[in-house]
Amino acid sequence: MMNSLGRRGMEEKYFPHDLIIIQILPRLPVKSLLRFKCVHKSYLYGFGYDQFRDDYLVVSVSNDMTINYGVNSQLEVFSLQDNTWREIEGNFPYFSNTWTDDSPRVGLLFGGDIHWLVAKMAPGEDSSDDVILTFDLMERKLLEMPYPDDFDFVLYDNCALWVFGEFFSLWVSDHVNCSVEIWVMKEYKVHSSWTKTLDFSIEGLSTWYFYPICSTKTGDIVGTDGENVLQKYNGQGQLIEHESYSEDPLDFLVTLYTESLLLLPVDNMQV
Amino acid sequence: MASSSSNLISLKTSDGTVFKVERALAKTMKTVQAIIEEADANIYMIPIHNVFSHHMDMIIDYYKLSVAGKSKEFSVEKLDNDELKDFLLAVHYLNMEDLFEVLTQAVADRLEKKSVGYVRKYFGIENDFTPEEYAAIRKKNDWAFKGDDIEPEEDEEKQEE
């Protein structure tokens, strides 16, 4: 009956999409279902670089939530070189089943692939499993990666992909126990290399949540409480800094800005 | 008929009410079962998040009817659409298979004739379609939007004025 993600403790009254897609919509007659195709376009997207062809790509995985002989999402790729969208045919029984209503739709770029956390329709079609969906930018193919083996879905209320140091990583938060765990893939694409490297309490401050955003060169974790406080935890999970960045909670979205220097071409060099 | 205290489980709802329920009823709640099984010693009180006392009242009603073989008599007619949705989320949280089936069907029945706009609002879903995409899907399945018993879309109502 249930998919593996508990998503319990939802004070925000977010209505899980897998509940809608798997449990409610299939009980409707065809006429209602066809109408409800217009309800929501569930989509995921990502941006990346194909170094083999020296091409920049935008990838989109989308569906309209209704089940017609199984959920099949559309995979479309926009190539900067071709300057056009192309649909890639295939069976993609995936849909975006977000952990919270503001989970990111944009995929994480790592290791030449784009990654999203999605739900996959199980063959019997009355349940779904959670997987990490991967788009290989060179092969232009969708692949799956399972979550770590000891992942206790029931405990967690939020989860996201990110890069911790140089590792492909997942952070999860356990709202009931007020803790955050960091899992890393020590060897990218080697499933057995998933390791829980950090498990720390966020009970110190009065904030209920902590969302990691980035890590520093020294292994500290910088994140936000989801409202208006930036926090920094060190590699041992101790809070070392916090700073309020706004009077008004919920007013800001925090993102990472990376500076880079770009060498501009010049026709001739003047002495 | 006296029941020993070990046959009763205490559940504390979000609004602070404590319900002492039979072990058999607690067994129908997979979430509660998992908590009981994981506890080392006897657990005295289990807090159930997102479940309110009015939900527990209905859960107990359903349980009593099921035990008497009358589960088909259970009705959620008196609940409005939002109350039904909240109840479904509570039962989903508790992971109660039979009652969950009943409620998901009840929600589906309530939504069957509703407009697309209503369904979006009901589930708190944003409309991600561009007007062109929406028009294309609409055109392809136009017959599905017609019928006296179907709630008209908001944009149509405005046009008719």
Side-chain angles (χ1 to χ4, degrees):
Chain A
M1 178 187 96
M2 294 292 188
N3 77 338
S4 47
L5 277 172
R7 285 195 199 93
R8 289 153 187 155
M10 341 163 260
E11 272 97 2
E12 296 87 9
K13 297 259 166 113
Y14 166 68
F15 204 97
H17 287 191
D18 63 328
L19 237 190
I20 302 173
I21 293 175
I22 298 172
Q23 303 291 348
I24 297 176
L25 292 181
R27 294 171 187 273
L28 289 164
V30 172
K31 190 172 182 180
S32 307
L33 217 52
L34 288 174
R35 216 162 58 248
F36 296 159
K37 269 182 180 291
C38 295
V39 164
H40 178 63
K41 179 175 160 186
S42 157
Y43 65 90
L44 297 161
Y45 62 93
F47 179 73
Y49 176 65
D50 170 5
Q51 59 185 23
F52 186 65
R53 291 186 196 73
D54 186 26
D55 195 6
Y56 289 89
L57 304 177
V58 178
V59 181
S60 156
V61 182
S62 62
N63 68 62
D64 66 25
M65 267 193 157
T66 64
I67 295 179
N68 281 324
Y69 308 106
V71 173
N72 199 28
S73 290
Q74 250 189 323
L75 172 62
E76 293 165 295
V77 179
F78 179 86
S79 144
L80 196 62
Q81 269 186 16
D82 300 343
N83 196 28
T84 183
W85 284 94
R86 271 188 231 284
E87 184 174 343
I88 297 179
E89 297 285 328
N91 185 35
F92 312 120
Y94 308 107
F95 60 94
S96 161
N97 190 27
T98 56
W99 283 82
T100 62
D101 54 4
D102 47 33
S103 288
R105 297 183 183 282
V106 60
L108 178 77
L109 183 60
F110 184 87
D113 304 322
I114 304 174
H115 310 261
W116 303 270
L117 297 180
V118 301
K120 177 187 182 183
M121 285 297 292
E125 283 171 37
D126 59 353
S127 67
S128 68
D129 298 308
D130 296 290
V131 294
I132 300 173
L133 189 63
T134 300
F135 182 79
D136 184 323
L137 286 160
M138 289 212 295
E139 303 278 310
R140 308 214 177 171
K141 274 210 306 239
L142 269 184
L143 307 155
E144 286 169 35
M145 265 174 23
Y147 276 72
D149 287 334
D150 339 328
F151 211 70
D152 193 346
F153 289 91
V154 177
L155 281 184
Y156 307 139
D157 52 76
N158 201 355
C159 172
L161 291 169
W162 72 313
V163 180
F164 184 37
E166 43 183 76
F167 298 113
F168 184 65
S169 165
L170 277 167
W171 63 259
V172 282
S173 69
D174 177 351
H175 178 55
V176 171
N177 292 320
C178 272
S179 64
V180 169
E181 289 176 16
I182 310 284
W183 292 71
V184 300
M185 211 173 202
K186 293 233 177 252
E187 246 188 277
Y188 180 56
K189 285 206 164 150
V190 175
H191 178 68
S192 54
S193 74
W194 273 115
T195 315
K196 176 159 66 163
T197 56
L198 211 51
D199 186 345
F200 58 94
S201 161
I202 55 169
E203 225 166 339
L205 298 174
S206 58
T207 56
W208 289 96
Y209 303 97
F210 178 65
Y211 303 96
I213 297 172
C214 64
S215 59
T216 67
K217 286 202 176 85
T218 50
D220 298 332
I221 300 169
V222 176
T224 161
D225 70 339
E227 292 195 3
N228 59 347
V229 179
L230 274 179
Q231 299 164 11
K232 188 196 274 192
Y233 288 82
N234 68 11
Q236 283 76 49
Q238 295 160 328
L239 182 67
I240 53 181
E241 218 180 303
H242 65 98
E243 187 82 40
S244 173
Y245 53 85
S246 161
E247 283 304 308
D248 198 347
L250 307 179
D251 210 22
F252 285 79
L253 279 176
V254 182
T255 189
L256 183 62
Y257 167 67
T258 308
E259 285 184 359
S260 64
L261 284 176
L262 196 62
L263 187 63
L264 296 173
V266 284
D267 288 327
N268 49 42
M269 296 286 279
Q270 295 284 5
V271 170
Chain B
M1 188 164 70
S3 42
S4 71
S5 59
S6 63
N7 280 336
L8 294 177
I9 309 275
S10 290
L11 301 174
K12 186 172 181 185
T13 56
S14 285
D15 47 356
T17 313
V18 178
F19 287 82
K20 286 199 167 69
V21 302
E22 285 175 34
R23 207 168 258 275
L25 168 51
K27 269 201 146 136
T28 67
M29 304 172 178
K30 291 197 183 138
T31 305
V32 170
Q33 265 309 103
I35 295 173
I36 293 174
E37 278 161 22
E38 268 178 43
D40 291 325
N42 280 324
I43 194 166
Y44 294 111
M45 180 105 68
I46 299 170
I48 41 179
H49 305 290
N50 304 301
V51 182
F52 288 81
S53 40
H54 57 271
H55 296 144
M56 271 309 294
D57 289 335
M58 291 190 282
I59 288 170
I60 291 169
D61 281 346
Y62 178 77
Y63 175 70
K64 286 185 180 155
L65 285 170
S66 312
V67 162
K70 295 178 182 173
S71 51
K72 290 216 177 350
E73 284 178 30
F74 182 73
S75 165
V76 287
E77 259 177 50
K78 59 186 185 312
L79 296 179
D80 69 28
N81 291 350
D82 283 325
E83 288 166 339
L84 177 57
K85 183 175 62 171
D86 284 349
F87 187 32
L88 171 59
L89 287 175
V91 169
H92 176 58
Y93 168 75
L94 290 172
N95 200 341
M96 305 178 71
E97 222 168 287
D98 293 343
L99 188 49
F100 181 74
E101 286 269 327
V102 169
L103 297 181
T104 46
Q105 187 61 55
V107 169
D109 291 343
R110 299 265 183 121
L111 295 177
E112 189 184 321
K113 310 270 198 269
K114 290 291 186 190
S115 69
V116 169
Y118 183 89
V119 173
R120 275 196 208 116
K121 252 183 31 190
Y122 189 73
F123 292 122
I125 297 175
E126 266 177 41
N127 177 18
D128 302 83
F129 287 112
T130 62
E132 294 80 24
E133 285 169 335
Y134 174 79
I137 301 178
R138 178 77 210 249
K139 192 170 162 201
K140 201 166 150 196
N141 304 298
D142 199 42
W143 70 274
F145 288 79
K146 296 188 157 61
D148 290 332
D149 52 346
I150 309 282
E151 187 186 45
E153 299 299 324
E154 248 180 47
D155 49 357
E156 278 158 39
E157 279 183 63
K158 289 188 189 139
Q159 278 168 27
E160 274 156 16
E161 275 159 24

